[in-house]
Amino acid sequence: MSEQTTGAQFRLGVGASEDWRMAVDGCLLQLMPLGEAANVGFVYVSDRMAERLPQILKRLSEATGISDMVGACGYSIAAGDTEYCDEPVVACLVGAVPEGSAKLFRRPSERPQGWLGVVHADPQVPALPELIEDFAEACGAYLVGGLIAARGPRPQWAGSLTEGGMSGIVFSQAQPVLTALTQGCSQLGDTHTVTAADGNIILQLDGQPAYNVLRDSFSVQSLQDLRKLSNGLMVGLPVSGADRPDYLVRNIIGIDPQAGGIAIGAMVEEGDQLFFCRRDTDSAAADMDRMLADLKRRCGDRMPRGALWFSCMARCQDQFVQDPSELARIQTVFPDLPLVGMYCGGEIAQSRLYGYTGVLALFL
């Protein structure tokens, strides 16, 4: 990674109004006048304005002179130190990157080469985890981003309108970016080995009925007790080869005490490793503070010029409802950081689809 920064600080504009035109005008009042070097933009709008996304992006692009803009809609949007939940809002982050370092893509079949990609994806795309992995490998890029969590339409923008797939922007190594991921769950008990499975159904763990191992891990006696924990029943799938302990969280979607099996939101094979886990407020806060401290150390004497934040909807609704919020924690470590992003139905980091995580990207 280059040790150089690439210019002036990014600029953030936010406009909140039921009228999309007034919301865009609010953005532009904070963005303008732009420096001549500004050439990239990230735009996130409330899903209340999803149908107006083309008009919003065209207006912002024409007013700023920036054609390389990407964007998406969401139920909740992050801007600066504020989360806008179920509010009509337009948030736009613009900045300067080295000329020729950014390439838009409107569908996963377009595979621009680069080293970092910002990705927005529709959660209804078939075989999405495999698509993300294949795209990252084909581009040679580390990915950050998320799945759109919105009511109704889920439009995306990458220089023009696109829907129903995956779009975004890929940067070359000429633009330095630091990224990090923070988990929101804590492990319960030991790591187990899958000893019998059929697709996404785990029949045995460590030679024992999977249901029995699940029940013991959550220290309950019956299926009724497990149902009381239905929002917290999850498995962690360890990621091998990572530079620090890492895992993918998947929901438990079915339990069969008679057969002794459990179904999860992922395909498994005999020999795979997993553990049971739950969302945990204290561990989520501690891990986010760890992530931010590590990013601060990696920045050294360089100050980030702008940031993108992709976080799970469940984190903002369940885990960081009391001060300090996720965004407040970021601003404490990186004061006055221009930041924009969205709260997702799944987060993308490296080449994987995560859940209950936060992904931060810093432009240096």
Side-chain angles (χ1 to χ4, degrees):
M1 178 181 296
S2 171
E3 294 297 319
Q4 297 180 341
T5 58
T6 56
Q9 190 170 22
F10 283 43
R11 298 189 70 168
L12 172 66
V14 184
S17 174
E18 294 286 352
D19 187 321
W20 70 269
R21 298 174 185 84
M22 294 183 66
V24 172
D25 287 344
C27 274
L28 292 172
L29 281 173
Q30 299 165 55
L31 293 174
M32 306 299 282
L34 288 177
E36 293 183 0
N39 58 358
V40 68
F42 303 90
V43 181
Y44 297 94
V45 309
S46 164
D47 63 357
R48 291 188 181 188
M49 296 184 173
E51 294 181 353
R52 297 294 187 179
L53 187 68
Q55 293 98 317
I56 291 169
L57 266 296
K58 288 178 181 177
R59 178 88 178 272
L60 287 169
S61 184
E62 290 172 358
T64 60
I66 299 173
S67 58
D68 284 351
M69 281 195 169
V70 297
C73 69
Y75 181 76
S76 294
I77 302 300
D81 61 357
T82 305
E83 175 205 338
Y84 295 87
C85 180
D86 192 22
E87 297 182 49
V89 64
V90 175
C92 179
L93 180 73
V94 299
V97 299
E99 195 67 32
S101 66
K103 297 179 182 178
L104 302 180
F105 68 95
R106 297 174 180 84
R107 55 191 63 85
S109 58
E110 301 173 17
R111 299 183 170 187
Q113 297 300 296
W115 84 303
L116 182 118
V118 178
V119 175
H120 308 127
D122 190 311
Q124 295 187 356
V125 174
L128 190 52
E130 293 79 12
L131 180 63
I132 292 169
E133 184 176 357
D134 291 345
F135 180 81
E137 182 178 358
C139 295
Y142 187 109
L143 305 182
V144 297
L147 308 190
I148 298 170
R151 302 159 294 190
R154 295 177 293 275
Q156 304 168 42
W157 185 273
S160 63
L161 183 65
T162 179
E163 291 184 276
M166 196 168 74
S167 66
I169 188 168
V170 174
F171 293 95
S172 74
Q173 201 162 355
Q175 171 54 57
V177 184
L178 293 180
T179 69
L181 176 142
T182 178
Q183 297 277 5
C185 296
S186 58
Q187 179 172 344
L188 295 175
D190 298 328
T191 298
H192 307 284
T193 300
V194 177
T195 49
D198 182 7
N200 69 325
I201 301 174
I202 304 168
L203 300 171
Q204 290 186 359
L205 291 169
D206 304 329
Q208 302 295 317
Y211 168 74
N212 294 353
V213 181
L214 167 67
R215 185 190 59 198
D216 294 343
S217 295
F218 282 88
S219 301
V220 297
Q221 300 299 317
S222 68
L223 179 60
Q224 183 177 4
D225 292 334
L226 282 173
R227 284 173 175 162
K228 294 178 183 178
L229 304 173
S230 59
N231 290 331
L233 297 181
M234 289 170 281
V235 298
L237 306 175
V239 174
S240 61
D243 56 1
R244 60 177 299 272
D246 192 13
Y247 55 91
L248 306 176
V249 174
R250 296 294 183 260
N251 290 325
I252 297 176
I253 58 178
I255 302 173
D256 186 347
Q258 299 302 319
I262 60 175
I264 69 172
M267 306 299 285
V268 291
E269 298 178 349
E270 292 184 14
D272 286 350
Q273 302 288 304
L274 64 79
F275 56 83
F276 295 103
C277 58
R278 296 188 66 180
R279 293 201 301 271
D280 179 80
T281 299
D282 291 340
S283 63
D287 195 64
M288 185 165 187
D289 290 343
R290 174 210 58 78
M291 176 196 75
L292 291 170
D294 184 59
L295 277 173
K296 183 71 172 178
R297 176 190 61 78
R298 290 163 61 194
C299 283
D301 58 0
R302 301 168 295 175
M303 291 297 295
R305 301 184 297 129
L308 301 175
W309 175 240
F310 303 97
S311 180
C312 179
M313 283 287 295
R315 289 170 62 91
C316 68
Q317 292 177 344
D318 299 336
Q319 292 182 304
F320 289 89
V321 294
Q322 297 180 343
D323 291 334
S325 67
E326 291 180 316
L327 299 179
R329 291 174 185 271
I330 294 171
Q331 295 293 336
T332 295
V333 177
F334 300 105
D336 302 318
L337 177 65
L339 173 150
V340 78
M342 65 179 184
Y343 291 89
C344 310
E347 303 74 57
I348 298 169
Q350 193 171 354
S351 61
R352 306 182 186 97
L353 178 60
Y354 287 81
Y356 309 105
T357 60
V359 180
L360 184 62
L362 303 177
F363 289 86
L364 302 179

